[in-house]
Amino acid sequence: MPMSDLPARSPAAAAVIVMGVSGSGKSTLGAMLAEALGCVFLEGDAFHSAEAVVKMRDGTPLTDADRWPWLDRIGSAVAASIDTCGVSVAACSALRRVYRDRLRAEIPGAVQFVLLEADRAQLLARMSSRPGHFMPTSLLDSQLETLERPQPDEGVLILPATLPPATLCDRVLAYLEQPALRA
């Protein structure tokens, strides 16, 4: 059955944030999840300031000072989407726990993070095949160094980015339907 024929779902989480380093497949999975859940997909890259995009395009890693306003804009957009649709899906690298905590503080209701993991070689190959994207492959190592793998108490669903997008989507949807998440 095509995804467009599926009924909109109401998962336990009010927001699903697909996270990971550049090239992990956040946007692809996020768009599929949003379609399946019947809500708007928020692309985290669209919330970067023009100055931050220039820095990244020039190969300069972002600092926390660059990221805080970006995270706040994403958090506000997710909150507004929840107000409108009841659920929201966004892609955001959310590399550090403090970034995830900041998003949780900004977003009303339960937030479910999904981390897509891949090895460096796979990520480089994916990034190299994205013509026109502002994130150069030279910044991958800084992202990998910044990434703080989620701790068990964060309840982050961790999936291998090497799985087909449809399989990833099905796994996230099944996870969101678990009774333990609804408690």
Side-chain angles (χ1 to χ4, degrees):
M1 173 184 302
M3 283 201 143
S4 58
D5 294 339
L6 293 173
R9 299 181 187 209
S10 179
V16 178
I17 310 290
V18 183
M19 61 172 284
V21 300
S22 188
S24 61
K26 299 181 297 290
S27 299
T28 300
L29 176 57
M32 291 179 81
L33 285 168
E35 183 177 348
L37 294 169
C39 65
V40 173
F41 170 61
L42 302 170
E43 171 55 68
D45 286 345
F47 294 88
H48 279 297
S49 68
E51 295 81 13
V53 171
V54 167
K55 279 180 84 168
M56 288 183 281
R57 186 171 281 129
D58 289 346
T60 303
L62 297 182
T63 65
D64 282 353
D66 298 316
R67 288 187 180 107
W68 296 132
W70 171 67
L71 291 165
D72 292 342
R73 287 189 293 273
I74 293 170
S76 293
V78 169
S81 181
I82 291 169
D83 284 345
T84 304
C85 305
V87 65
S88 183
V89 176
C92 173
S93 55
L95 298 175
R96 296 179 55 216
R97 184 178 186 139
V98 293
Y99 304 160
R100 297 185 291 274
D101 289 345
R102 185 143 180 161
L103 288 167
R104 284 185 189 102
E106 181 73 26
I107 299 168
V111 179
Q112 179 61 58
F113 285 90
V114 177
L115 171 61
L116 295 178
E117 287 190 314
D119 68 33
R120 184 179 183 280
Q122 293 165 326
L123 294 165
L124 268 175
R126 287 179 176 197
M127 290 176 73
S128 297
S129 68
R130 297 187 312 184
H133 195 279
F134 61 80
M135 178 66 87
T137 57
S138 63
L139 289 181
L140 177 59
D141 288 333
S142 73
Q143 283 208 321
L144 290 169
E145 289 167 11
T146 302
L147 177 64
E148 293 175 0
R149 198 161 196 283
Q151 297 302 302
D153 68 307
E154 289 187 81
V156 174
L157 176 60
I158 301 172
L159 296 172
T162 53
L163 292 174
T167 301
L168 290 168
C169 186
D170 289 344
R171 287 196 182 178
V172 174
L173 292 172
Y175 183 81
L176 293 173
E177 294 296 323
Q178 290 181 18
L181 288 178
R182 295 186 178 277

